[in-house]
Amino acid sequence: MQQVTRKKLGAGVNLTCVTTPKFKRAVLRAALLLPLGGPDAALRACLPQVLRRGTAQLPDLRALGTALDELYGARIEAIVRKEGETLVIGFLSDCIDEAYAPGAAGLTGRVVRLLADLLFDPYLQDGVFCPDYTAGERDNLIDRIAAQKNDPRTWAPKRLTELMCAQEAYGQPALGTAEQAGRITENKLYTAYLRALEEAQIELFYCGTLAPEAVEQLFLDTPLAHRTERPFYLPHTTVAAQPAGDAREVVEEEPVTQGKLSLGFRTGGSCLTGGDPAAYWMFQTIYGGSTSSKLFVNVREKHSLCYYASAQFIASKGILQVNSGIENRDFPTAREEILRQLDACRQGDVTEPELESARKTLVTNWRAMLDDPLTLERYWLGQAAAGTLTAPEDRIQQTEAVTLRQVVAAAQATTLDMVYFMKGAAQ
């Protein structure tokens, strides 16, 4: 049985502990939570990659690699994530749980100290970041930004988000823009680093066998939990229950062989912190969240209008997206059939087998989350960024109680905001 505790360790510092004997490896995270977008966007996306290159005591990747090998092969990776309208940057680590490794007593504390050093005691040259490290990671960031367009299946939803939420922070990319990245220097990056430390809320995480009190002390013994009291960024996301106006349609030509059709909807306010998210997940699963969903069975299989079609409930923002791959000529027909299946849900045209299949899918997915410590880390980070603490076990109970009436209400609250079609110019 997992025990989840959350505690404020210091000024702008929170720790979430998942105490469980279930896993052989422990997972730790130290992250800065900051506003999404803004002039520092690319700088902040580049920052953890440069910090990961070395500390004052371990000044390069070779030294860091040796230190990690000595920590029973522990791993530390830089993270840049978008959680609602919050940017998350920092480090994620996993290591052998010391309870399962003879002679590994104190291993967790050593990993915690290394995480703290990466964030608070970086390798510097002449009082700023190393020019070579900065230039290398700047170029890598530019490449990552450009590479996003290389996968049309993931780029189309990103583009839909940019257009649909252009007047909201959520429409900003987590990596910033290529233009911003191109202006990164070691001096600008170090200045942005100091600003981030001044502004960010720090979110710490541990999943393993150690008691919460022991984990708290490990973090308290590092600079991670000792900061001067000041106003820190408070994670928040603005949820628009309805579109600001009439539904919009955007068609863009790209050199792809297969068209990508994405539709964005507002959920009527259902999100992690409002509305009826359990019912909305059920509706989304019935509509397009599994191989027995209406989109898969009807739009893909019965009418052969798309190569794939699925619906995603972005609960952190209160948005529903439908994404599909189609032939250019099928754009109007596929769009209308996708909307027709939504109307079927609104009218209560949902069979008992459809309802129970969706329920089984969701419950299975929530239970699977309990079996993966890395998935749990991501889940609890999303909860922290949203300011809520609903456990996966609670989601299971909520899902099991959802009725058809609630599903229909969720569908009826759903309003089309934008249609985005990436037209395959190569066809």
Side-chain angles (χ1 to χ4, degrees):
M1 182 65 181
Q2 296 177 354
Q3 173 194 356
V4 180
T5 58
R6 183 168 169 80
K7 185 174 182 179
K8 179 178 180 179
L9 292 192
V13 183
N14 300 296
L15 168 65
T16 301
C17 283
V18 178
T19 308
T20 174
K22 192 171 188 176
F23 310 115
K24 304 300 182 184
R25 295 187 70 83
V27 171
L28 300 104
R29 180 237 303 136
L32 307 179
L33 273 59
L34 294 154
L36 187 64
D40 280 358
L43 288 161
R44 289 173 172 174
C46 187
L47 185 55
Q49 310 297 336
V50 173
L51 291 173
R52 177 61 178 77
R53 296 289 290 265
T55 70
Q57 300 301 316
L58 304 168
D60 54 37
L61 290 175
R62 182 187 296 273
L64 270 172
T66 300
L68 290 170
D69 287 342
E70 293 173 352
L71 295 173
Y72 289 72
R75 296 178 294 185
I76 295 180
E77 65 179 40
I79 57 173
V80 179
R81 298 177 184 167
K82 179 177 179 177
E83 294 288 346
E85 293 179 347
T86 292
L87 175 72
V88 180
I89 59 173
F91 301 100
L92 177 67
S93 175
D94 73 322
C95 61
I96 292 176
D97 193 301
E98 59 187 74
Y100 298 104
L107 172 64
T108 308
R110 293 163 65 191
V111 174
V112 167
R113 287 193 292 275
L114 182 51
L115 288 172
D117 286 347
L118 285 167
L119 270 179
F120 285 93
D121 193 19
Y123 174 65
L124 303 176
Q125 288 185 0
D126 299 323
V128 296
F129 288 120
C130 170
D132 288 343
Y133 292 175
T134 303
E137 296 303 336
R138 177 195 63 216
D139 293 344
N140 288 340
L141 177 60
I142 292 172
D143 289 342
R144 286 201 303 276
I145 292 171
Q148 292 179 112
K149 296 188 70 172
N150 293 340
D151 183 0
R153 185 163 179 166
T154 58
W155 176 248
K158 287 179 183 293
R159 185 65 180 140
L160 169 66
T161 298
E162 288 180 1
L163 294 166
M164 179 175 162
C165 302
Q167 305 305 315
E168 303 163 76
Y170 193 73
Q172 299 299 308
L175 297 181
T177 67
E179 291 74 19
Q180 289 176 330
R183 295 193 292 268
I184 292 175
T185 66
E186 59 271 17
N187 290 281
K188 290 180 180 178
L189 188 63
Y190 188 69
T191 300
Y193 164 68
L194 296 179
R195 280 198 297 266
L197 291 184
E198 287 284 319
E199 183 180 352
Q201 177 171 300
I202 294 180
E203 282 292 334
L204 308 173
F205 176 86
Y206 169 80
C207 178
T209 60
L210 291 180
E213 297 79 12
V215 178
E216 291 169 19
Q217 192 56 54
L218 293 179
F219 282 108
L220 286 170
D221 288 341
T222 73
L224 282 166
H226 299 279
R227 310 171 79 196
T228 302
E229 190 68 61
R230 67 177 73 89
F232 295 104
Y233 169 67
L234 182 63
H236 64 280
T237 298
T238 300
V239 175
Q242 302 293 331
D246 295 335
R248 298 159 288 167
E249 187 173 293
V250 176
V251 178
E252 295 180 337
E253 288 196 1
E254 294 288 349
V256 295
T257 57
Q258 184 187 104
K260 306 297 178 186
L261 174 59
S262 295
L263 287 76
F265 303 83
R266 302 290 177 166
T267 65
S270 285
C271 61
L272 285 178
T273 57
D276 190 350
Y280 209 91
W281 266 303
M282 278 284 283
F283 153 64
Q284 169 255 318
T285 306
I286 291 168
Y287 181 40
S290 74
T291 54
S292 61
S293 69
K294 290 187 177 296
L295 292 182
F296 188 92
V297 171
N298 293 287
V299 184
R300 183 184 187 274
E301 297 294 298
K302 182 178 178 180
H303 297 291
S304 301
L305 289 171
C306 59
Y307 299 99
Y308 64 89
S310 63
Q312 179 188 11
F313 174 32
I314 305 173
S316 61
K317 177 60 179 171
I319 285 175
L320 178 75
Q321 283 191 355
V322 172
N323 297 299
S324 62
I326 65 173
E327 295 291 338
N328 285 345
R329 64 178 180 273
D330 291 328
F331 167 45
T333 309
R335 176 188 56 203
E336 294 311 309
E337 188 58 36
I338 287 169
L339 294 174
R340 186 175 293 113
Q341 297 307 316
L342 172 58
D343 284 337
C345 293
R346 288 170 173 160
Q347 295 163 13
D349 183 12
V350 177
T351 66
E352 187 68 18
E354 284 178 313
L355 185 68
E356 294 310 313
S357 175
R359 197 187 314 275
K360 181 178 179 180
T361 296
L362 281 172
V363 169
T364 298
N365 290 343
W366 289 121
R367 286 179 176 157
M369 182 177 294
L370 298 172
D371 294 329
D372 184 350
L374 291 172
T375 304
L376 284 171
E377 180 274 326
R378 186 66 183 256
Y379 175 83
W380 285 110
L381 178 60
Q383 296 293 293
T388 184
L389 288 173
T390 304
E393 294 92 338
D394 296 330
R395 295 297 186 197
I396 291 172
Q397 292 182 355
Q398 294 168 358
T399 300
E400 290 174 336
V402 171
T403 66
L404 177 58
R405 180 177 295 180
Q406 289 173 278
V407 170
V408 172
Q412 291 175 345
T414 301
T415 307
L416 179 64
D417 192 332
M418 175 164 282
V419 176
Y420 173 71
F421 181 43
M422 180 188 292
K423 186 177 181 180
Q427 288 194 29

